[in-house]
Amino acid sequence: MKTKYDQNQIQDYIATYQLDQIFSQASAIPIQLRTYERNEIVLKEGDELDGIYFQVEGRTKVSSSIETGKALLLRFCHPLSVFGDVELIQKVVIQSQVEATEPTTFLFINKRTVETELMLDRNFLYELLKYLSYKLQTCTTASRINLLASVEERFASYLLTTRLQNEFGKEILTPHVPEIASLIGTTPRHLNRVIQKFITMNVLNKEKKKISILDWDRLDEISNGLRYE
């Protein structure tokens, strides 16, 4: 991790993402730039949170694990994303691991400033509520589909959701079968069987690990109207 206090760059990011609407007095808040390289851990599950992170550049991977060592991929995040909101409100340790998948930059505000100043700011709390409610909505929807739908329905829903390019569709978009399998709650082996089934049905084609859709209408029928959104 590299840190710096480049006020010009910080103000550029604040203007780009209209963060001045979140902080009533942005110029008075000690904001730090933190940059992480590819594969570097930003937040480690189980650690104490040191502050709130606003992702302004790059791409991150968010996952959650259990004591056996198995990890569940939750989403990929792009600017503007916020980390630390759940932990700050609930006063708990870091709940999910965040890893940079490419060089990624954050605006960082230390925990003390957040608790003593920003938590008293109505604009900040309102924005925090928006991010929290979005995470709750998308996690609830994904959990419901993954628990109640067949793998065929889940995969069809995944393909249709990522095609729509809504916000959560962008966050779960990946070309890698093992990552897709984790996102929809199955194993790569089972997902490969479903892919082969869809190929025989002339629903999709796969060449050199690249999947192309041949029949979106049939895929919609298989999904039974389910979407990860």
Side-chain angles (χ1 to χ4, degrees):
M1 175 187 69
K2 296 179 181 178
T3 63
K4 61 180 179 179
Y5 293 90
D6 185 331
Q7 289 304 315
N8 289 330
Q9 192 173 359
I10 288 172
Q11 290 306 316
D12 284 344
Y13 283 129
I14 287 175
T16 298
Y17 296 105
Q18 300 180 326
L19 293 176
D20 52 341
Q21 297 180 12
I22 299 178
F23 314 127
S24 297
Q25 297 180 334
S27 60
I29 298 171
I31 301 176
Q32 182 185 81
L33 280 173
R34 290 191 174 187
T35 302
Y36 296 79
E37 296 302 319
R38 184 176 181 269
N39 297 329
E40 193 172 359
I41 301 301
V42 181
L43 295 171
K44 185 178 180 181
E45 197 172 2
D47 282 359
E48 289 291 333
L49 183 73
D50 57 350
I52 196 161
Y53 294 71
F54 292 85
Q55 183 178 334
V56 291
E57 293 282 357
R59 183 174 182 262
T60 51
K61 177 171 68 175
V62 183
S63 59
S64 184
S65 64
I66 56 176
E67 291 183 1
T68 60
K70 291 183 178 181
L72 176 66
L73 177 60
L74 300 176
R75 68 184 75 206
F76 296 95
C77 291
H78 310 81
L80 179 69
S81 296
V82 179
F83 301 101
D85 44 1
V86 173
E87 292 81 359
L88 283 166
I89 296 295
Q90 293 296 321
K91 299 186 183 302
V92 294
V93 296
I94 295 169
Q95 299 295 291
S96 300
Q97 179 159 295
V98 180
E99 176 184 345
T101 61
E102 60 185 48
T104 303
T105 301
F106 297 85
L107 297 182
F108 170 80
I109 305 173
N110 66 72
K111 188 176 180 181
R112 183 179 181 279
T113 299
V114 175
E115 291 180 336
T116 60
E117 298 182 34
L118 294 182
M119 285 301 190
L120 304 177
D121 188 325
R122 184 174 62 182
N123 292 337
F124 175 77
L125 289 175
Y126 177 72
E127 287 300 316
L128 214 60
L129 178 61
K130 284 171 58 178
Y131 287 112
L132 284 167
S133 59
Y134 168 74
K135 290 176 182 178
L136 175 61
Q137 177 192 357
T138 51
C139 285
T140 300
T141 299
S143 296
R144 182 176 67 249
I145 293 175
N146 290 350
L147 284 171
L148 301 178
S150 68
V151 176
E152 288 85 354
E153 290 171 324
R154 284 180 247 163
F155 185 47
S157 175
Y158 171 86
L159 294 171
L160 288 158
T161 301
T162 53
R163 182 197 188 195
L164 292 173
Q165 285 291 290
N166 59 27
E167 188 61 30
F168 193 51
K170 295 176 185 177
E171 292 185 1
I172 60 175
L173 179 61
T174 173
H176 306 297
V177 169
E179 291 180 341
I180 296 173
S182 184
L183 286 163
I184 67 174
T186 189
T187 63
R189 179 178 294 182
H190 194 164
L191 180 55
N192 276 318
R193 286 198 295 266
V194 171
I195 291 172
Q196 289 303 316
K197 180 179 179 180
F198 283 7
I199 290 172
T200 61
M201 295 167 61
N202 292 319
V203 173
L204 56 81
N205 187 36
K206 185 180 180 184
E207 291 184 3
K208 296 182 180 180
K209 298 183 179 181
K210 183 178 180 181
I211 294 173
S212 56
I213 309 304
L214 303 177
D215 191 340
W216 286 105
D217 291 335
R218 182 72 180 105
L219 203 63
D220 189 29
E221 292 175 9
I222 295 170
S223 75
N224 284 322
L226 297 174
R227 298 290 185 275
Y228 286 93
E229 57 186 354

